[in-house]
Amino acid sequence: MKKYFLISVLALASCAGNSDKKTDTTTVAGGDTSAGSAAAPSQDRDQCFVLTEGTAGQDTTAVHLVIAGDKVTGEMKWSPKEKDSRKGTLTGAVNGDEVKAVWSFMQEGVKDSINVVFKLSAQELAQKPLKAGADGRQVTDESKGYTLIYKPGNCETSAAARR
C-alpha cells in the first residue's frame, strides 16, 4: 500500500509543473505597450505565449517560440470561435528584443504566409497588428505599435481547448 501511495504522490508532484502556465490573458487596446521596458530575455529559450480575445475570451492565438542565438523557429495557431483556424510554423530572426518571422500556415486547405513582428520581454510577447494589404491579403501594420499582448502560457492546453 505504501508503494502505491508513494507512486501517486510522485505522479501528482510531476504533474504540478510550472505555475506560470496561465491561459487567461488580456489585450491592451489603443496604442503601444511597455513590452520593451522590461528586461530583455536570455538569447536561448523555448517558450509559449497565449492571447485570448473576444467578448468571452473565445478566440485564442498561441505562439511557441524556440530561440537559438539570433534564429527563431516555432509554431503559431490562431483559433477563432466558429471560424477556420490558421496553424503553421514560424521562421525568422531575433535582433535584441525584436522578433521578425514568417508565419507559414494552412487555412481552409490553402497554404499562405504572413510576415509577423513581435517584441519579446521576460514577462510577455507583444505583436504588431495585421491589416489588409493592397491585394486584400493580411500584412503587418508597421505604422502601429505592439498592441497585441501575449502572456506566458501553455500552447497545447489552450489550442486543444479551442479546437
Side-chain angles (χ1 to χ4, degrees):
M1 186 59 123
K2 288 182 185 180
K3 182 178 179 180
Y4 292 114
F5 178 74
L6 181 59
I7 291 172
S8 297
V9 169
L10 290 174
L12 285 173
S14 68
C15 291
N18 184 348
S19 63
D20 289 339
K21 294 182 179 183
K22 300 174 189 168
T23 57
D24 183 23
T25 60
T26 57
T27 302
V28 175
D32 203 354
T33 68
S34 60
S37 64
S42 63
Q43 282 299 311
D44 292 340
R45 67 189 299 169
D46 182 334
Q47 192 166 2
C48 189
F49 296 91
V50 178
L51 167 68
T52 56
E53 300 176 285
T55 55
Q58 71 275 14
D59 302 330
T60 301
T61 306
V63 177
H64 175 217
L65 296 177
V66 178
I67 298 173
D70 63 349
K71 304 289 184 208
V72 65
T73 58
E75 297 176 333
M76 185 168 173
K77 182 171 184 181
W78 174 62
S79 302
K81 184 178 180 182
E82 298 179 6
K83 294 181 185 174
D84 291 319
S85 65
R86 291 179 178 173
K87 180 179 180 182
T89 60
L90 292 167
T91 307
V94 179
N95 185 3
D97 62 353
E98 187 174 61
V99 176
K100 289 188 175 186
V102 175
W103 178 27
S104 301
F105 59 87
M106 290 284 292
Q107 183 177 19
E108 297 183 17
V110 177
K111 290 182 181 181
D112 202 352
S113 63
I114 298 174
N115 291 323
V116 290
V117 181
F118 299 101
K119 186 170 277 198
L120 182 62
S121 76
Q123 296 82 21
E124 66 188 20
L125 180 71
Q127 179 186 359
K128 288 191 174 196
L130 303 175
K131 67 177 183 176
D135 60 359
R137 294 180 63 227
Q138 285 190 310
V139 297
T140 294
D141 190 346
E142 292 289 348
S143 69
K144 301 290 183 183
Y146 295 91
T147 58
L148 301 172
I149 307 302
Y150 297 74
K151 298 294 180 185
N154 184 328
C155 289
E156 289 303 315
T157 302
S158 300
R162 306 289 186 220
R163 284 186 194 143

